[in-house]
Amino acid sequence: MSIAAINPVSITWTISSFVAWFLGSYLYHGLGVTLGYHRLLTHKALTVPRWLMYLIVSGGYLTLMGSPIVWVGVHRLHHQKTDVPGDPHSPNEGFTHALYGWMFQMDKIQSTEELHTQVKDLMADPLMRMLGDSHAPWQALLCLIINIVARVVLFLLFGWTALIADLLATLIVFWSPQLVNSVCHLPNFGYKLQATKDNSRNVWWVALLSLGEGWHNNHHAMPTSARHGFAWWEVDITWYTIWILEKLGLSKKVIRPPEKNYQIQS
Ligand SMILES: [Zn+2]
Ligand SMILES: [Zn+2]
């Protein structure tokens, strides 16, 4: 073993570098899903310049989220049929179905025609269409290939530390929205801040992992709100990011929830 390998300065540098890459990757991928795919594309809770939209959304695509058209189409259907027959991923049909099983059945749950009626806005964007506009397996395969190529480039440019940190961040960020879909619709978890007809709940640990998306009952009560953490204790990293973008003049038409003293309902 070389002296450099056991040098405390070298070890400290490697750990610091790993933590920095992990946090940077977590924010890039996490915000890609929450700010990009979800609050921006699906719910139009704010507007940003087109170049910034593509930059943010790329973080979600490189978390194996698949084509934005497909993701948005599935999620809009979830809001229309929350916890009733036709919901693509309700835990009423089993926890593992809500966690990941639904991904392999979407071609049966949502026809291409229905998908296209959900996402007329995104269908007008040729780049979005190129990434896939149906539940055909090729769009998932294309996403997987582009994700692998991106990691090879990352490794060649920055080495093992960056690659492993990014893969770990990707793994956690990938499962975060799946936890929102499943855990945040189970009556035994979290609480309701808003009276909604569906089973959506606010679950603090899912909210921390998913950069604010775990305040899911709030989200179902007001889907177009750019802010998901309504109460003072509901930490919402995605909202803080949107707030900063707004202060920088990069996000506009930001939709906010009513300001009031929120109380836990049940
Ligand atoms: Zn939901
Ligand atoms: Zn939503």
Side-chain angles (χ1 to χ4, degrees):
M1 190 181 284
S2 72
I3 292 172
I6 54 169
N7 184 340
V9 176
S10 162
I11 293 170
T12 307
W13 169 251
T14 304
I15 293 172
S16 308
S17 171
F18 180 86
V19 170
W21 271 106
F22 176 78
L23 292 177
S25 297
Y26 204 101
L27 283 178
Y28 170 63
H29 293 300
L31 292 172
V33 181
T34 64
L35 177 48
Y37 276 55
H38 194 203
R39 303 188 198 190
L40 195 55
L41 293 185
T42 306
H43 295 295
K44 302 192 182 306
L46 66 151
T47 61
V48 297
R50 208 161 181 76
W51 65 266
L52 185 56
M53 181 269 281
Y54 287 126
L55 178 67
I56 296 170
V57 168
S58 73
Y61 193 73
L62 294 178
T63 320
L64 291 163
M65 284 294 123
S67 154
I69 283 182
V70 173
W71 198 103
V72 170
V74 170
H75 192 65
R76 285 179 181 167
L77 183 61
H78 167 62
H79 275 274
Q80 288 153 10
K81 300 191 172 176
T82 314
D83 295 320
V84 298
D87 184 338
H89 42 59
S90 172
N92 290 343
E93 293 176 50
F95 182 75
T96 53
H97 169 80
L99 192 66
Y100 61 85
W102 63 274
M103 295 176 204
F104 305 99
Q105 299 166 18
M106 277 315 299
D107 55 338
K108 297 181 190 73
I109 296 169
Q110 188 177 40
S111 70
T112 304
E113 292 71 30
E114 204 279 335
L115 173 69
H116 289 181
T117 58
Q118 294 281 2
V119 288
K120 285 198 178 101
D121 49 339
L122 296 184
M123 289 292 287
D125 184 328
L127 180 61
M128 296 288 182
R129 278 208 314 277
M130 226 172 63
L131 297 176
D133 61 357
S134 77
H135 292 293
W138 73 262
Q139 73 86 11
L141 188 63
L142 176 68
C143 182
L144 178 65
I145 291 167
I146 292 176
N147 268 263
I148 292 170
V149 170
R151 266 60 184 203
V152 171
V153 172
L154 182 72
F155 171 69
L156 292 175
L157 289 177
F158 301 105
W160 283 110
T161 308
L163 178 67
I164 294 169
D166 179 76
L167 288 176
L168 183 63
T170 303
L171 181 73
I172 303 171
V173 171
F174 174 84
W175 285 104
S176 300
Q178 322 312 332
L179 290 171
V180 174
N181 292 341
S182 51
V183 173
C184 292
H185 279 272
L186 286 173
N188 296 338
F189 285 83
Y191 60 88
K192 271 184 186 282
L193 202 66
Q194 311 281 310
T196 56
K197 286 182 183 156
D198 54 58
N199 300 329
S200 59
R201 315 283 291 177
N202 289 350
V203 183
W204 69 268
W205 58 272
V206 179
L208 288 182
L209 283 174
S210 61
L211 305 180
E213 306 274 294
W215 310 121
H216 199 53
N217 167 246
N218 299 351
H219 175 55
H220 272 284
M222 190 180 173
T224 54
S225 172
R227 180 176 185 168
H228 288 194
F230 289 6
W232 63 266
W233 66 85
E234 293 178 336
V235 174
D236 182 352
I237 304 284
T238 306
W239 165 246
Y240 307 146
T241 309
I242 292 169
W243 185 86
I244 292 168
L245 289 177
E246 193 183 33
K247 292 290 170 213
L248 293 172
L250 287 169
S251 78
K252 298 211 165 29
K253 298 181 184 170
V254 178
I255 301 173
R256 290 171 156 79
E259 276 191 35
K260 61 177 188 179
N261 188 17
Y262 288 97
Q263 304 283 342
I264 294 175
Q265 306 280 318
S266 60

